[in-house]
Coordinates of all heavy atoms in Angstrom, one line a residue:
M22 N -55.0 -25.1 -0.8 CA -53.7 -24.9 -1.3 C -53.8 -24.0 -2.6 O -54.4 -24.4 -3.6 CB -53.0 -26.2 -1.6 CG -51.6 -26.1 -2.1 SD -50.9 -27.8 -2.2 CE -49.3 -27.4 -3.0
T23 N -53.3 -22.8 -2.5 CA -53.4 -21.9 -3.6 C -52.1 -21.7 -4.3 O -52.1 -21.4 -5.5 CB -54.0 -20.5 -3.2 OG1 -53.1 -20.0 -2.2 CG2 -55.4 -20.6 -2.7
K24 N -51.0 -21.8 -3.6 CA -49.7 -21.7 -4.2 C -48.9 -23.0 -4.2 O -49.0 -23.8 -3.2 CB -48.8 -20.7 -3.4 CG -49.3 -19.2 -3.6 CD -48.3 -18.3 -3.0 CE -48.7 -16.8 -3.3 NZ -47.8 -15.9 -2.6
P25 N -48.2 -23.3 -5.2 CA -47.4 -24.5 -5.2 C -46.3 -24.5 -4.2 O -45.8 -23.4 -3.8 CB -46.9 -24.6 -6.6 CG -46.8 -23.2 -7.1 CD -48.0 -22.5 -6.5
K26 N -45.9 -25.6 -3.7 CA -44.8 -25.7 -2.7 C -43.5 -25.7 -3.5 O -43.4 -26.2 -4.6 CB -44.9 -27.1 -2.0 CG -43.8 -27.4 -1.1 CD -44.0 -28.7 -0.5 CE -42.7 -29.2 0.2 NZ -42.8 -30.6 0.7
I27 N -42.5 -25.0 -3.0 CA -41.2 -24.9 -3.6 C -40.5 -26.3 -3.3 O -40.1 -26.5 -2.2 CB -40.4 -23.7 -3.1 CG1 -41.1 -22.4 -3.5 CG2 -39.0 -23.8 -3.7 CD1 -40.5 -21.2 -2.8
A28 N -40.4 -27.1 -4.3 CA -39.8 -28.5 -4.0 C -38.3 -28.3 -3.9 O -37.7 -29.0 -3.0 CB -40.1 -29.4 -5.2
Q29 N -37.7 -27.5 -4.7 CA -36.2 -27.2 -4.5 C -35.9 -26.0 -5.3 O -36.6 -25.6 -6.2 CB -35.3 -28.4 -5.0 CG -35.4 -28.7 -6.5 CD -34.6 -29.9 -6.9 OE1 -34.7 -30.9 -6.2 NE2 -33.8 -29.8 -8.0
K30 N -34.9 -25.3 -4.9 CA -34.5 -24.0 -5.5 C -33.4 -24.2 -6.6 O -32.4 -23.4 -6.6 CB -34.1 -23.0 -4.4 CG -35.2 -22.6 -3.5 CD -34.8 -21.7 -2.4 CE -36.0 -21.4 -1.5 NZ -35.5 -20.6 -0.3
S31 N -33.6 -25.2 -7.4 CA -32.7 -25.4 -8.5 C -33.5 -26.3 -9.5 O -34.4 -27.0 -9.1 CB -31.4 -26.1 -8.1 OG -31.7 -27.3 -7.4
P32 N -33.1 -26.2 -10.8 CA -33.9 -27.0 -11.7 C -33.6 -28.5 -11.6 O -32.6 -28.9 -10.9 CB -33.4 -26.5 -13.1 CG -32.0 -25.9 -12.8 CD -32.1 -25.4 -11.4
A33 N -34.4 -29.4 -12.1 CA -34.2 -30.8 -12.1 C -33.9 -31.3 -13.5 O -34.7 -31.4 -14.3 CB -35.5 -31.5 -11.6
P34 N -32.6 -31.6 -13.7 CA -32.2 -32.1 -15.0 C -32.6 -33.6 -15.2 O -32.4 -34.4 -14.3 CB -30.7 -32.0 -15.0 CG -30.3 -31.9 -13.6 CD -31.4 -31.4 -12.8
V35 N -33.2 -33.9 -16.3 CA -33.7 -35.2 -16.6 C -33.4 -35.6 -18.1 O -33.5 -34.8 -19.0 CB -35.2 -35.3 -16.5 CG1 -35.8 -36.7 -16.9 CG2 -35.7 -35.0 -15.0
Q36 N -32.8 -36.8 -18.2 CA -32.6 -37.3 -19.6 C -33.9 -37.7 -20.2 O -34.5 -38.7 -19.6 CB -31.6 -38.5 -19.5 CG -31.4 -39.2 -20.8 CD -30.4 -38.5 -21.8 OE1 -29.4 -37.9 -21.3 NE2 -30.7 -38.5 -23.0
V37 N -34.5 -37.0 -21.2 CA -35.8 -37.4 -21.7 C -35.6 -38.1 -23.1 O -34.5 -38.0 -23.7 CB -36.7 -36.2 -21.9 CG1 -36.9 -35.5 -20.6 CG2 -36.2 -35.3 -23.0
V38 N -36.6 -38.8 -23.5 CA -36.6 -39.6 -24.7 C -37.6 -38.9 -25.7 O -38.7 -38.6 -25.3 CB -37.1 -41.0 -24.4 CG1 -37.2 -41.8 -25.7 CG2 -36.1 -41.7 -23.5
A39 N -37.2 -38.7 -26.9 CA -38.1 -38.1 -27.9 C -39.4 -38.9 -28.0 O -39.4 -40.1 -28.1 CB -37.4 -38.1 -29.3
G40 N -40.5 -38.2 -28.0 CA -41.8 -38.8 -28.2 C -42.4 -39.4 -26.9 O -43.6 -39.7 -26.9
K41 N -41.7 -39.4 -25.8 CA -42.2 -40.0 -24.6 C -42.9 -38.8 -23.8 O -42.3 -37.7 -23.8 CB -41.1 -40.6 -23.7 CG -41.6 -41.2 -22.4 CD -40.5 -42.0 -21.7 CE -41.0 -42.4 -20.3 NZ -40.0 -43.1 -19.5
T42 N -44.0 -39.1 -23.2 CA -44.7 -38.1 -22.4 C -44.4 -38.3 -20.9 O -44.5 -39.4 -20.4 CB -46.2 -38.2 -22.7 OG1 -46.4 -37.9 -24.1 CG2 -47.0 -37.1 -21.8
Y43 N -44.1 -37.2 -20.3 CA -43.8 -37.1 -18.8 C -44.9 -36.2 -18.2 O -45.4 -35.3 -18.8 CB -42.4 -36.5 -18.6 CG -41.3 -37.3 -19.3 CD1 -41.1 -37.0 -20.7 CD2 -40.6 -38.2 -18.6 CE1 -40.1 -37.7 -21.3 CE2 -39.6 -38.9 -19.3 CZ -39.3 -38.7 -20.6 OH -38.3 -39.4 -21.3
Y44 N -45.1 -36.4 -16.9 CA -46.1 -35.7 -16.2 C -45.5 -34.9 -15.1 O -45.1 -35.4 -14.1 CB -47.3 -36.6 -15.7 CG -48.1 -37.1 -16.9 CD1 -47.7 -38.3 -17.5 CD2 -49.1 -36.4 -17.4 CE1 -48.3 -38.8 -18.6 CE2 -49.8 -36.8 -18.5 CZ -49.4 -38.0 -19.1 OH -50.1 -38.5 -20.2
W45 N -45.3 -33.6 -15.4 CA -44.6 -32.7 -14.5 C -45.5 -32.3 -13.3 O -46.7 -32.0 -13.4 CB -44.2 -31.4 -15.2 CG -43.5 -30.3 -14.5 CD1 -42.2 -30.3 -14.1 CD2 -44.1 -29.1 -14.0 NE1 -41.9 -29.2 -13.4 CE2 -43.1 -28.4 -13.4 CE3 -45.4 -28.5 -14.1 CZ2 -43.3 -27.1 -12.8 CZ3 -45.6 -27.3 -13.5 CH2 -44.5 -26.6 -12.9
C46 N -44.9 -32.3 -12.1 CA -45.7 -32.0 -10.9 C -45.8 -30.5 -10.8 O -44.8 -29.8 -10.8 CB -44.9 -32.5 -9.7 SG -45.4 -31.8 -8.1
S47 N -47.0 -30.0 -10.7 CA -47.2 -28.5 -10.6 C -47.5 -28.1 -9.2 O -47.4 -26.9 -8.9 CB -48.4 -28.1 -11.5 OG -49.6 -28.7 -11.0
C48 N -47.7 -29.0 -8.3 CA -48.1 -28.7 -6.9 C -46.8 -28.6 -6.0 O -46.9 -27.9 -5.0 CB -49.1 -29.6 -6.3 SG -48.4 -31.3 -5.9
G49 N -45.8 -29.3 -6.4 CA -44.6 -29.3 -5.6 C -44.5 -30.3 -4.5 O -43.6 -30.4 -3.7
E50 N -45.6 -31.1 -4.3 CA -45.7 -32.0 -3.2 C -45.1 -33.4 -3.6 O -44.9 -34.3 -2.7 CB -47.1 -32.2 -2.8 CG -47.8 -30.9 -2.2 CD -47.2 -30.6 -0.8 OE1 -46.5 -31.4 -0.2 OE2 -47.6 -29.4 -0.4
S51 N -44.9 -33.7 -4.8 CA -44.4 -35.0 -5.2 C -43.1 -35.4 -4.6 O -42.2 -34.5 -4.5 CB -44.3 -35.1 -6.8 OG -43.7 -36.3 -7.1
K52 N -42.9 -36.6 -4.2 CA -41.6 -37.1 -3.7 C -40.8 -37.6 -4.9 O -39.6 -38.0 -4.7 CB -41.9 -38.3 -2.8 CG -42.7 -37.9 -1.6 CD -42.0 -37.1 -0.5 CE -42.8 -36.9 0.7 NZ -43.7 -35.8 0.6
S53 N -41.3 -37.5 -6.1 CA -40.6 -37.9 -7.3 C -40.3 -36.8 -8.2 O -40.5 -36.8 -9.4 CB -41.4 -39.0 -8.0 OG -41.7 -40.1 -7.2
Q54 N -39.9 -35.6 -7.7 CA -39.6 -34.4 -8.5 C -38.7 -34.7 -9.6 O -37.7 -35.5 -9.5 CB -39.0 -33.3 -7.6 CG -40.0 -32.8 -6.5 CD -41.2 -32.1 -7.2 OE1 -41.1 -31.5 -8.3 NE2 -42.3 -32.2 -6.6
P55 N -38.9 -34.1 -10.8 CA -39.9 -33.1 -11.0 C -41.3 -33.6 -11.5 O -42.1 -32.8 -11.9 CB -39.3 -32.2 -12.1 CG -38.6 -33.3 -13.0 CD -38.1 -34.3 -12.0
F56 N -41.5 -34.9 -11.3 CA -42.7 -35.5 -11.9 C -43.7 -35.8 -10.8 O -43.4 -36.0 -9.6 CB -42.3 -36.8 -12.7 CG -41.3 -36.5 -13.8 CD1 -40.1 -37.2 -13.9 CD2 -41.6 -35.5 -14.7 CE1 -39.2 -36.9 -14.9 CE2 -40.7 -35.2 -15.7 CZ -39.5 -35.9 -15.8
C57 N -45.0 -36.0 -11.3 CA -46.1 -36.2 -10.4 C -46.1 -37.6 -9.8 O -45.8 -38.6 -10.6 CB -47.4 -36.0 -11.3 SG -48.9 -36.5 -10.4
D58 N -46.4 -37.7 -8.5 CA -46.6 -39.1 -7.9 C -48.0 -39.2 -7.3 O -48.2 -40.2 -6.6 CB -45.5 -39.3 -6.9 CG -45.7 -38.4 -5.6 OD1 -46.6 -37.6 -5.6 OD2 -44.9 -38.7 -4.6
G59 N -48.9 -38.3 -7.7 CA -50.3 -38.4 -7.2 C -50.5 -37.7 -5.9 O -51.7 -37.6 -5.5
S60 N -49.5 -37.0 -5.4 CA -49.6 -36.3 -4.1 C -50.5 -35.1 -4.2 O -50.9 -34.5 -3.2 CB -48.3 -35.9 -3.5 OG -47.5 -37.0 -3.3
H61 N -50.8 -34.7 -5.4 CA -51.6 -33.4 -5.6 C -53.1 -33.7 -5.3 O -53.8 -32.7 -5.2 CB -51.5 -33.0 -7.1 CG -52.1 -34.0 -8.0 ND1 -51.3 -35.0 -8.6 CD2 -53.3 -34.2 -8.5 CE1 -52.0 -35.7 -9.4 NE2 -53.3 -35.3 -9.3
K62 N -53.5 -34.9 -5.1 CA -54.9 -35.2 -4.9 C -55.6 -34.3 -3.8 O -55.1 -34.2 -2.7 CB -55.2 -36.6 -4.6 CG -55.0 -37.5 -5.8 CD -55.5 -38.9 -5.6 CE -55.4 -39.8 -6.9 NZ -54.0 -40.0 -7.3
G63 N -56.6 -33.6 -4.2 CA -57.4 -32.7 -3.3 C -56.8 -31.3 -3.1 O -57.3 -30.5 -2.4
S64 N -55.7 -31.1 -3.9 CA -55.0 -29.8 -3.7 C -55.5 -28.7 -4.8 O -55.3 -27.6 -4.6 CB -53.5 -29.9 -3.9 OG -53.2 -30.2 -5.3
G65 N -56.2 -29.2 -5.8 CA -56.6 -28.3 -6.9 C -55.6 -28.2 -8.0 O -55.8 -27.6 -9.0
F66 N -54.4 -28.8 -7.8 CA -53.4 -28.8 -8.8 C -53.5 -30.1 -9.6 O -54.0 -31.1 -9.1 CB -52.0 -28.7 -8.2 CG -51.7 -27.4 -7.6 CD1 -52.0 -27.0 -6.3 CD2 -51.0 -26.4 -8.4 CE1 -51.7 -25.7 -5.9 CE2 -50.7 -25.2 -7.9 CZ -51.0 -24.8 -6.7
S67 N -53.0 -30.0 -10.8 CA -52.9 -31.2 -11.7 C -51.6 -31.3 -12.3 O -50.9 -30.3 -12.6 CB -54.0 -31.1 -12.8 OG -55.2 -30.8 -12.3
P68 N -51.1 -32.5 -12.7 CA -49.9 -32.7 -13.4 C -50.0 -32.1 -14.8 O -51.1 -32.0 -15.4 CB -49.7 -34.2 -13.4 CG -51.0 -34.8 -13.3 CD -51.8 -33.8 -12.4
V69 N -48.9 -31.6 -15.3 CA -48.8 -31.0 -16.7 C -48.0 -32.0 -17.6 O -46.9 -32.2 -17.3 CB -48.2 -29.6 -16.6 CG1 -48.1 -29.0 -18.0 CG2 -48.9 -28.7 -15.7
P70 N -48.6 -32.4 -18.7 CA -47.9 -33.3 -19.6 C -46.8 -32.6 -20.4 O -47.0 -31.4 -20.8 CB -49.0 -33.9 -20.5 CG -50.1 -32.9 -20.4 CD -50.0 -32.2 -19.1
Y71 N -45.7 -33.3 -20.6 CA -44.6 -32.7 -21.4 C -44.1 -33.9 -22.3 O -43.8 -35.0 -21.7 CB -43.5 -32.2 -20.5 CG -42.2 -31.9 -21.3 CD1 -42.0 -30.7 -21.9 CD2 -41.2 -32.9 -21.5 CE1 -40.9 -30.4 -22.6 CE2 -40.1 -32.6 -22.3 CZ -39.9 -31.3 -22.8 OH -38.8 -31.0 -23.5
T72 N -44.0 -33.7 -23.6 CA -43.6 -34.7 -24.5 C -42.2 -34.3 -25.0 O -42.0 -33.2 -25.5 CB -44.5 -34.9 -25.7 OG1 -45.8 -35.3 -25.1 CG2 -44.0 -36.0 -26.6
G73 N -41.2 -35.3 -24.8 CA -39.9 -35.0 -25.2 C -39.8 -34.7 -26.7 O -40.4 -35.4 -27.5
E74 N -39.1 -33.6 -27.1 CA -38.9 -33.3 -28.5 C -37.8 -34.0 -29.1 O -37.8 -34.3 -30.3 CB -38.7 -31.7 -28.6 CG -40.0 -31.0 -28.2 CD -39.8 -29.5 -28.2 OE1 -38.7 -29.0 -28.6 OE2 -40.7 -28.8 -27.7
K75 N -36.7 -34.2 -28.3 CA -35.6 -35.0 -28.8 C -34.9 -35.7 -27.6 O -35.2 -35.2 -26.5 CB -34.6 -34.1 -29.5 CG -34.1 -33.0 -28.7 CD -33.1 -32.0 -29.4 CE -32.6 -30.9 -28.5 NZ -31.7 -30.0 -29.1
D76 N -34.1 -36.7 -27.8 CA -33.4 -37.3 -26.7 C -32.4 -36.3 -26.2 O -31.7 -35.6 -27.0 CB -32.6 -38.5 -27.2 CG -33.5 -39.7 -27.7 OD1 -34.8 -39.5 -27.5 OD2 -33.0 -40.7 -28.2
G77 N -32.3 -36.1 -24.9 CA -31.4 -35.2 -24.3 C -31.8 -34.7 -22.9 O -32.9 -35.1 -22.4
I78 N -31.0 -33.9 -22.3 CA -31.2 -33.4 -21.0 C -32.2 -32.2 -21.1 O -32.0 -31.3 -21.9 CB -29.9 -32.9 -20.3 CG1 -28.9 -34.1 -20.2 CG2 -30.2 -32.3 -18.9 CD1 -29.2 -35.1 -19.1
V79 N -33.2 -32.3 -20.2 CA -34.2 -31.2 -20.1 C -34.1 -30.7 -18.6 O -34.1 -31.5 -17.7 CB -35.6 -31.6 -20.5 CG1 -36.6 -30.6 -20.1 CG2 -35.7 -31.9 -22.0
Y80 N -34.1 -29.4 -18.5 CA -34.1 -28.8 -17.1 C -35.5 -28.4 -16.7 O -36.0 -27.4 -17.1 CB -33.1 -27.6 -17.1 CG -31.7 -28.1 -17.2 CD1 -31.1 -28.3 -18.4 CD2 -30.9 -28.3 -16.0 CE1 -29.8 -28.8 -18.5 CE2 -29.6 -28.8 -16.1 CZ -29.0 -29.0 -17.4 OH -27.8 -29.4 -17.5
F81 N -36.1 -29.3 -16.0 CA -37.5 -29.0 -15.5 C -37.5 -28.1 -14.3 O -36.5 -28.1 -13.5 CB -38.2 -30.3 -15.1 CG -38.5 -31.2 -16.3 CD1 -37.7 -32.2 -16.7 CD2 -39.7 -31.0 -16.9 CE1 -38.0 -33.1 -17.7 CE2 -40.1 -31.8 -18.0 CZ -39.2 -32.9 -18.4
C82 N -38.5 -27.3 -14.2 CA -38.7 -26.4 -13.1 C -39.0 -27.2 -11.8 O -39.9 -28.0 -11.9 CB -39.8 -25.4 -13.3 SG -40.2 -24.4 -11.9
A83 N -38.3 -27.0 -10.7 CA -38.6 -27.6 -9.5 C -39.0 -26.7 -8.4 O -39.5 -27.1 -7.3 CB -37.4 -28.5 -9.0
C84 N -38.9 -25.4 -8.6 CA -39.3 -24.4 -7.7 C -40.8 -24.0 -7.9 O -41.5 -23.4 -7.0 CB -38.5 -23.1 -7.7 SG -38.7 -22.0 -9.1
K85 N -41.3 -24.4 -9.1 CA -42.7 -24.2 -9.4 C -43.1 -22.7 -9.6 O -44.3 -22.4 -9.5 CB -43.7 -24.9 -8.4 CG -43.3 -26.3 -8.0 CD -43.1 -27.3 -9.2 CE -42.6 -28.6 -8.7 NZ -42.4 -29.5 -9.9
Q86 N -42.1 -21.9 -9.8 CA -42.3 -20.5 -10.0 C -42.1 -20.0 -11.5 O -42.2 -18.9 -11.8 CB -41.4 -19.6 -9.1 CG -41.4 -20.1 -7.7 CD -42.8 -20.0 -7.0 OE1 -43.4 -19.0 -7.0 NE2 -43.2 -21.1 -6.4
S87 N -41.6 -20.9 -12.3 CA -41.2 -20.6 -13.7 C -42.3 -20.0 -14.5 O -43.5 -20.5 -14.4 CB -40.6 -21.8 -14.4 OG -40.3 -21.5 -15.7
S88 N -42.0 -19.0 -15.3 CA -43.0 -18.5 -16.3 C -42.9 -19.2 -17.6 O -43.6 -18.9 -18.6 CB -42.8 -17.0 -16.5 OG -42.9 -16.3 -15.3
N89 N -42.0 -20.2 -17.7 CA -41.8 -21.0 -18.9 C -42.4 -22.4 -18.8 O -41.8 -23.4 -19.2 CB -40.3 -21.1 -19.1 CG -39.9 -21.6 -20.5 OD1 -40.7 -21.5 -21.4 ND2 -38.7 -22.1 -20.6
G90 N -43.6 -22.5 -18.2 CA -44.3 -23.7 -18.1 C -43.5 -24.7 -17.2 O -43.0 -24.4 -16.2
V91 N -43.3 -25.9 -17.7 CA -42.6 -27.0 -17.0 C -41.1 -26.8 -17.0 O -40.4 -27.5 -16.2 CB -43.0 -28.4 -17.5 CG1 -44.5 -28.5 -17.6 CG2 -42.3 -28.7 -18.9
L92 N -40.6 -25.9 -17.8 CA -39.2 -25.8 -17.9 C -38.6 -24.6 -17.1 O -39.3 -23.6 -16.9 CB -38.8 -25.5 -19.4 CG -39.3 -26.6 -20.3 CD1 -39.0 -26.3 -21.8 CD2 -38.8 -28.0 -20.0
C93 N -37.4 -24.8 -16.6 CA -36.8 -23.7 -15.8 C -36.5 -22.5 -16.6 O -36.1 -22.5 -17.7 CB -35.4 -24.3 -15.3 SG -34.4 -23.1 -14.4
D94 N -36.8 -21.3 -16.0 CA -36.5 -20.0 -16.6 C -35.6 -19.2 -15.7 O -35.5 -18.0 -15.9 CB -37.8 -19.3 -16.9 CG -38.5 -18.7 -15.7 OD1 -38.1 -19.1 -14.6 OD2 -39.5 -17.9 -15.8
G95 N -35.1 -19.8 -14.7 CA -34.2 -19.1 -13.8 C -34.9 -18.4 -12.6 O -34.2 -17.8 -11.8
S96 N -36.2 -18.6 -12.5 CA -36.9 -17.9 -11.4 C -36.4 -18.3 -10.0 O -36.6 -17.5 -9.1 CB -38.4 -18.2 -11.6 OG -39.0 -17.6 -12.7
H97 N -35.9 -19.5 -9.9 CA -35.4 -20.0 -8.6 C -34.3 -19.1 -8.0 O -34.2 -19.0 -6.8 CB -34.9 -21.4 -8.7 CG -33.8 -21.6 -9.6 ND1 -33.9 -21.8 -11.0 CD2 -32.4 -21.5 -9.4 CE1 -32.7 -21.9 -11.5 NE2 -31.8 -21.7 -10.6
K98 N -33.6 -18.4 -8.9 CA -32.5 -17.5 -8.4 C -33.1 -16.3 -7.6 O -32.3 -15.7 -6.8 CB -31.7 -17.0 -9.6 CG -30.9 -18.1 -10.3 CD -30.2 -17.5 -11.5 CE -29.6 -18.6 -12.3 NZ -29.4 -18.2 -13.7
A99 N -34.3 -16.0 -7.8 CA -34.9 -14.8 -7.1 C -35.5 -15.2 -5.8 O -36.0 -14.4 -5.0 CB -36.0 -14.1 -8.0
L100 N -35.5 -16.5 -5.5 CA -36.2 -17.0 -4.2 C -35.2 -16.9 -3.1 O -34.0 -17.2 -3.2 CB -36.6 -18.5 -4.4 CG -37.6 -18.7 -5.5 CD1 -37.9 -20.2 -5.7 CD2 -38.9 -18.0 -5.2
S101 N -35.7 -16.4 -1.9 CA -34.8 -16.3 -0.8 C -34.8 -17.6 0.0 O -35.6 -18.4 -0.2 CB -35.2 -15.1 0.1 OG -36.6 -15.3 0.4
Ligands
LIG216 S1 -47.9 -34.6 -7.2 FE1 -47.7 -32.5 -7.8 S2 -49.0 -32.4 -9.6 FE2 -49.2 -34.4 -9.0

């Protein structure tokens, strides 16, 4: 597996807590999008940690094409 799977073509809004660490799924195979559920095992992908900066909604990337790390940058709009 060299490219991540497109889990969905829209961001995944999540209410995060300041100081809490989340593990974003980079492979796209997790059933618990946008977070890792261990499905990446053997794929060469690894979860990416993200620590909440403040309490509030964060739009995580779910298409796995973002150039803004774990966060949505609108790249999903270019996917057919
Ligand atoms: S399930 Fe995708 S990185 Fe863990």
Side-chain angles (χ1 to χ4, degrees):
M22 185 173 171
T23 56
K24 288 188 174 179
K26 176 182 167 187
I27 298 170
Q29 65 184 46
K30 294 177 182 173
S31 58
V35 176
Q36 173 80 40
V37 302
V38 176
K41 182 175 176 183
T42 298
Y43 302 82
Y44 292 89
W45 179 77
C46 167
S47 65
C48 73
E50 297 286 352
S51 173
K52 302 283 185 279
S53 304
Q54 291 297 327
F56 302 126
C57 175
D58 71 354
S60 297
H61 61 271
K62 285 193 175 68
S64 71
F66 286 86
S67 310
V69 178
Y71 170 87
T72 301
E74 293 174 5
K75 59 181 181 179
D76 293 356
I78 300 285
V79 168
Y80 289 84
F81 288 95
C82 170
C84 73
K85 316 301 176 185
Q86 313 297 309
S87 176
S88 298
N89 192 23
V91 309
L92 305 178
C93 175
D94 71 350
S96 292
H97 61 273
K98 292 178 191 154
L100 299 172
S101 54

